[in-house]
Amino acid sequence: MIEHLPALLVVIPLVLSVIILFIAYISARLLRWTAISTTVVLVLLSILTLVTSVQEGALTYAFGGWLPPWGIAFIVDPMSAFIVLVTNVLFTLAVLYGGAYLYGMHWLRTGCYYSLFFLMVAGMSGMLISADLFNIFVFMEMSSLATYVLIAFAGTRANFAAFRYLIIGTLGAKFYLLAVAYIYGLTGSLYFLDVAERLQPYEQTTAMIIIMLLIVAGFGLKMALFPMHGWLPDAHTYAPSTISAMISGVMIKVPAFVLFKIFFFVLGVDQFYTMPILMIAGILAAAGMIVGSVMALLQKECKRMLAYSSVAQIGYVILGFSIGNVYGVIGGLLHIVNHAVMKSCLFFVAGAVKWHKQSDSIDNFKGLGRSMPLSMAAFTVAAFSMIGLPPTAGFFSKWYLLKGAVLENLWFFVIVIVISSLLNAIYFFRIIEKIYLQDADEVNETKNTNETSDTYDTNALQKQSISATNYETSDGNNPSAFERMLERQRERVRLFQEKRFGGFELPLTMLVPIVILAIGVFVLGIYNQPIVTNIIETALGGIAYGR
């Protein structure tokens, strides 16, 4: 079984994405338990893959026994295995978290949701472990197409956000595909090891500049690298909170990791143009860190604030790669994992506030430290990590980035990291102040169902029986029949959960993932040194660092 582990990580969710519609038709309970058990199995397989890759070295799998470059190959090194593990843990928590929203939904829409979700899971895993440049494109588009539709599940404004993401994401994919075609034209192969060897004669040619710029542009659009981030704020804001967390925690991080693998392992960090191109990306990332943080500070809705924060945070990752030395690269890779956990926690809490208050307006956080103590404690922990306070995870990735920048005398990057962290502190502490030091407004139970995301599930439920032509809008004072049905659905679900779980601040299926992620922020911080020593440094052993 060990030799088939890389394939199972992709094949299992891919197969389930096809058959899960039939399971949804049979039983809603069977559907939910199938989804949960599958993600748990993927986590267990990921753990086994990680342990095996650390102890025995990178795992290679050739489909059908066809060795590359003729066949499709997966290569799983310790770092890839670790990121696959983290993403599968996040997917598991997302399935748990989204259960309360999906309760009572029509079987076809629920089945479509889970089908697209597992298609996204398969695509993300495939991107992380594929050893073929073209198959990275295939898996990237597989996950992207699923994500476009999942964003649109929220309806209304989410439809436009999904369409814009579709256009920009497709453009990014085409840039990358052009680079792949150019590489194949030069080398006659798409397999990592072959390409790395056959590109050496073209090291100082214009072709290498074009290839690198196309790859940076393609993945830059996918990961929302400044100034290519235009699709991200609306996609995060109007998507379901579960999907917002996956976009920020996984969707924009996987392209960043693939960019790292291609530049450092395939094109080669010692290539003549590699570091200059990465430095250009680093300058864009530094600008994004400031602009994203400033824009986050100006927002009035929590999810939109977190969206602009993600623009800044992806900058930390690319900044680390552009620094180029061992500490910068470790900081960038560590921040991929750390940010995935802490930002998923923040988006889950934002969704919980929407569940509780019918709006994720920052003003609605007033007094929630008393009514939602566990959720707000988790939010505070994740916010501290985003700021970079020890011993949370975010402190250590920023520490490595600062150390790497200082060693390279990149003082501009040091200043940017410090300023961005201070801006993080400002916009997170204003929310923490409202949580613990201000009283809730009794009359400000804002209903903003057309501007935030978590109406997607009840919206989707009702669309099975309400045609678009009969859809009514609200003038703010007289709720439409549609909105009244949304409210009745929320109340049914809330009563169901209170009866079943004893009246916690949230349904346990929502609360438990939030608490687990908050604990994960501490665990990643406390155990950062074993992660760096046993996983990251092991994966990076063959790379020559520095300029």
Side-chain angles (χ1 to χ4, degrees):
M1 176 183 173
I2 297 296
E3 64 271 17
H4 297 295
L5 283 174
L8 292 174
L9 293 172
V10 176
V11 171
I12 290 176
L14 188 60
V15 171
L16 186 63
S17 70
V18 176
I19 66 174
I20 202 164
L21 277 172
F22 300 100
I23 299 174
Y25 178 75
I26 295 171
S27 168
R29 178 170 295 183
L30 178 61
L31 169 68
R32 178 147 174 77
W33 281 108
T34 300
I36 294 173
S37 60
T38 301
T39 54
V40 170
V41 168
L42 290 173
V43 170
L44 296 177
L45 291 175
S46 301
I47 294 172
L48 185 57
T49 303
L50 175 61
V51 172
T52 305
S53 64
V54 170
Q55 293 178 348
E56 302 179 8
L59 302 176
T60 302
Y61 185 85
F63 280 85
W66 288 80
L67 297 177
W70 306 108
I72 298 173
F74 288 164
I75 296 180
V76 188
D77 61 83
M79 190 64 213
S80 299
F82 185 54
I83 296 181
V84 169
L85 171 60
V86 172
T87 56
N88 280 326
V89 169
L90 294 178
F91 288 138
T92 303
L93 297 178
V95 170
L96 286 173
Y97 181 89
Y101 292 122
L102 297 172
Y103 171 71
M105 188 184 293
H106 190 275
W107 71 267
L108 181 58
R109 190 165 288 271
T110 307
C112 288
Y113 175 89
Y114 280 118
S115 178
L116 292 165
F117 185 87
F118 281 103
L119 191 63
M120 178 179 67
V121 172
M124 291 290 98
S125 297
M127 283 185 68
L128 288 168
I129 64 178
S130 178
D132 182 285
L133 292 170
F134 181 74
N135 284 317
I136 287 176
F137 167 78
V138 172
F139 287 120
M140 178 167 62
E141 286 305 273
M142 180 191 300
S143 59
S144 295
L145 289 171
T147 307
Y148 303 149
V149 183
L150 287 170
I151 291 172
F153 256 68
T156 59
R157 296 187 180 183
N159 292 328
F160 176 75
F163 182 72
R164 181 159 61 176
Y165 183 19
L166 168 66
I167 299 300
I168 297 177
T170 301
L171 182 62
K174 296 304 176 284
F175 281 143
Y176 173 73
L177 187 59
L178 285 173
V180 171
Y182 210 152
I183 290 173
Y184 185 77
L186 293 176
T187 66
S189 178
L190 297 172
Y191 181 53
F192 279 5
L193 299 183
D194 287 345
V195 171
E197 180 180 352
R198 298 179 189 181
L199 275 180
Q200 292 180 6
Y202 304 96
E203 178 177 351
Q204 298 187 32
T205 63
T206 305
M208 288 301 299
I209 298 177
I210 295 173
I211 288 170
M212 291 181 181
L213 289 177
L214 285 172
I215 292 174
V216 170
F219 285 130
L221 286 166
K222 287 290 187 179
M223 73 178 82
L225 177 66
F226 180 86
M228 297 172 279
H229 67 286
W231 61 269
L232 184 138
D234 282 350
H236 276 54
T237 302
Y238 303 125
S241 288
T242 306
I243 305 305
S244 297
M246 295 303 98
I247 295 174
S248 184
V250 179
M251 198 74 187
I252 66 174
K253 300 303 185 306
V254 172
F257 180 68
V258 175
L259 176 74
F260 159 76
K261 287 208 301 184
I262 292 175
F263 268 80
F264 281 75
F265 286 93
V266 180
L267 302 180
V269 71
D270 54 348
Q271 280 273 7
F272 186 77
Y273 294 114
T274 298
M275 293 315 301
I277 297 295
L278 282 178
M279 183 54 64
I280 293 173
I283 293 172
L284 295 177
M289 291 165 63
I290 300 300
V291 173
S293 298
V294 171
M295 291 301 297
L297 185 60
L298 300 177
Q299 304 308 309
K300 297 181 179 180
E301 294 179 352
C302 184
K303 287 184 66 177
R304 199 165 189 85
M305 181 196 80
L306 295 176
Y308 280 107
S309 172
S310 294
V311 175
Q313 295 301 315
I314 198 65
Y316 285 91
V317 176
I318 303 303
L319 197 73
F321 299 159
S322 68
I323 291 171
N325 59 29
V326 64
Y327 294 109
V329 173
I330 289 174
L333 292 174
L334 199 59
H335 204 68
I336 288 177
V337 175
N338 292 344
H339 182 255
V341 174
M342 55 196 183
K343 186 56 72 68
S344 295
C345 181
L346 292 169
F347 269 112
F348 280 179
V349 174
V353 173
K354 170 63 181 174
W355 173 275
H356 192 69
K357 292 280 192 176
Q358 284 77 59
S359 171
D360 70 334
S361 170
I362 290 175
D363 286 337
N364 282 339
F365 279 75
K366 292 179 180 179
L368 290 184
R370 288 180 287 275
S371 59
M372 302 175 66
L374 290 177
S375 300
M376 294 304 107
F379 183 93
T380 303
V381 168
F384 284 172
S385 185
M386 291 284 292
I387 296 167
L389 299 180
T392 58
F395 168 79
F396 296 97
S397 51
K398 290 186 178 183
W399 171 257
Y400 280 109
L401 292 173
L402 286 170
K403 190 172 183 179
V406 169
L407 290 176
E408 294 292 332
N409 292 318
L410 296 171
W411 297 104
F412 172 70
F413 285 175
V414 173
I415 294 171
V416 168
I417 293 171
V418 172
I419 292 176
S420 178
S421 297
L422 291 175
L423 291 172
N424 285 348
I426 294 173
Y427 63 73
F428 277 115
F429 273 117
R430 65 170 177 165
I431 298 181
I432 294 173
E433 177 189 9
K434 293 180 184 294
I435 291 172
Y436 294 108
L437 300 181
Q438 296 185 19
D439 295 327
D441 295 333
E442 294 181 2
V443 297
N444 189 29
E445 293 295 322
T446 310
K447 293 185 179 181
N448 196 19
T449 56
N450 287 326
E451 296 185 1
T452 51
S453 65
D454 290 323
T455 57
Y456 84 101
D457 303 288
T458 48
N459 188 355
L461 173 69
Q462 302 302 335
K463 281 186 177 180
Q464 293 297 323
S465 56
I466 302 177
S467 67
T469 56
N470 291 328
Y471 182 85
E472 301 178 55
T473 57
S474 170
D475 63 4
N477 297 317
N478 300 307
S480 67
F482 179 75
E483 289 174 331
R484 290 194 295 272
M485 280 188 287
L486 292 181
E487 185 57 36
R488 287 198 299 270
Q489 167 67 6
R490 291 193 192 96
E491 187 62 24
R492 285 198 301 270
V493 174
R494 188 175 294 113
L495 291 173
F496 168 79
Q497 298 290 3
E498 287 178 357
K499 179 180 178 181
R500 188 171 179 181
F501 299 120
F504 283 93
E505 62 190 70
L506 291 169
L508 286 182
T509 52
M510 296 175 67
L511 185 59
V512 170
I514 290 172
V515 173
I516 290 175
L517 288 171
I519 295 172
V521 169
F522 279 119
V523 171
L524 288 173
I526 294 170
Y527 291 98
N528 81 94
Q529 191 57 50
I531 292 172
V532 170
T533 303
N534 298 322
I535 297 175
I536 299 180
E537 289 183 353
T538 300
L540 301 181
I543 301 178
Y545 295 100
R547 290 173 173 77

